[in-house]
Amino acid sequence: MALIYIVEDDESIREIETIALKNSNYIVSAFENAKEFYKKLDELVPDLILLDVMLPDESGYDIVRKLRKRPATQDIPIIMVTAKTTEMDMIKGLDGGADDYIKKPFSIMELITRVKALLRRTAKEEPKLLKLDDLVIDHERHVVTVNNEQVDLTYKEYELLRLLMGSQGIVMTREVIMRSVWDTDFEGETRTVDMHIKTLRHKLGDYGSRIKTVRNVGYVIE
């Protein structure tokens, strides 16, 4: 399930985009300015960014140029959204590194179609094996082994471990884990994450200690 970041200062447009994408089974985080967006980007890189050109604290054009210069974000698919309609505005956005361009006002159908098309074009094959020394996830066989011994995990424990190992060294907030594994934003359910981490650590034996708690934030595997 793809994670999409929306950067849009117009609350009504931001809400429409968020609802439309969530209804199309995407995980969505929305931000009204560049500052909030950058903060979340340092925690987790999305699969696609829907970026407004005119933001209160920074131009969307400048944001694209910065993202294309950073190794961690240089390949993120970006769709720019703007009320500007001249050909030069479109060229400026695409030359700056955007992958696509949507003009306001746009239909929900157009938005979803553009998002799906760009994700298809830029999709990367998911690695079949994830390794942390002798802790291995064979996603093709849906098997987890520690020192060549199979570990029996529930579906959610497996997805939780896969999320952590797919982002080794990156702190996963409880919010991100809830959206990615449980497909919900309800903060009251974050204790579910803690309980699953506890049982996962126990089942992984010595490797359980590789899952670190980052106080008041979430978890990271190292």
Side-chain angles (χ1 to χ4, degrees):
M1 188 178 296
L3 171 62
I4 298 176
Y5 284 176
I6 296 171
V7 192
E8 168 64 63
D9 66 325
D10 187 307
E11 184 177 359
S12 61
I13 295 177
R14 190 169 65 245
E15 184 175 346
I16 289 171
E17 292 173 340
T18 299
I19 293 173
L21 290 168
K22 283 187 174 181
N23 286 342
S24 296
N25 296 319
Y26 295 111
I27 302 169
V28 181
S29 287
F31 315 94
E32 63 179 348
N33 56 53
K35 182 179 179 181
E36 293 180 1
F37 164 67
Y38 286 135
K39 182 178 179 181
K40 182 61 71 171
L41 192 64
D42 288 337
E43 297 175 6
L44 183 64
V45 174
D47 298 291
L48 183 144
I49 298 170
L50 203 59
L51 177 64
D52 185 29
V53 170
M54 304 297 291
L55 295 169
D57 51 349
E58 188 172 359
S59 161
Y61 299 128
D62 292 335
I63 292 175
V64 171
R65 283 192 287 270
K66 287 181 181 178
L67 296 180
R68 293 308 183 220
K69 290 178 181 178
R70 296 171 57 180
T73 59
Q74 63 184 5
D75 296 324
I76 300 176
I78 300 173
I79 299 177
M80 300 200 78
V81 182
T82 183
K84 294 186 175 183
T85 58
T86 69
E87 185 177 0
M88 286 307 299
D89 289 325
M90 296 176 63
I91 291 173
K92 183 178 180 181
L94 296 172
D95 281 351
D99 298 280
D100 202 354
Y101 208 97
I102 298 180
K103 301 176 189 177
K104 299 176 183 177
F106 53 84
S107 70
I108 296 303
M109 184 73 70
E110 178 186 11
L111 172 66
I112 299 304
T113 299
R114 294 285 191 93
V115 167
K116 287 181 177 179
L118 184 53
L119 286 172
R120 280 197 303 269
R121 292 203 311 266
T122 58
K124 295 179 180 178
E125 185 177 354
E126 186 175 7
K128 293 182 174 61
L129 290 178
L130 292 172
K131 294 184 178 182
L132 179 63
D133 297 330
D134 290 319
L135 170 60
V136 180
I137 294 180
D138 184 337
H139 190 51
E140 192 170 43
R141 297 168 53 219
H142 204 84
V143 168
V144 175
T145 58
V146 172
N147 298 321
N148 293 319
E149 293 290 331
Q150 186 169 329
V151 180
D152 184 22
L153 300 180
T154 66
Y155 177 76
K156 292 300 185 183
E157 289 167 352
Y158 176 89
E159 290 299 312
L160 175 56
L161 180 61
R162 188 160 70 98
L163 176 65
L164 293 172
M165 286 186 61
S167 305
Q168 290 180 33
I170 299 175
V171 178
M172 296 285 106
T173 66
R174 288 177 175 84
E175 177 189 15
V176 168
I177 293 172
M178 287 303 299
R179 285 200 309 266
S180 301
V181 179
W182 279 271
D183 192 24
T184 180
D185 290 319
F186 182 46
E187 294 182 3
E189 293 292 334
T190 54
R191 178 151 177 77
T192 299
V193 175
D194 300 333
M195 293 303 296
H196 277 74
I197 289 287
K198 182 178 179 180
T199 58
L200 183 57
R201 282 172 170 159
H202 176 72
K203 290 183 178 182
L204 294 178
D206 291 341
Y207 273 88
S209 62
R210 303 290 288 269
I211 301 176
K212 309 293 184 182
T213 302
V214 180
R215 187 171 179 151
N216 297 324
V217 180
Y219 299 95
V220 61
I221 194 164
E222 310 178 315

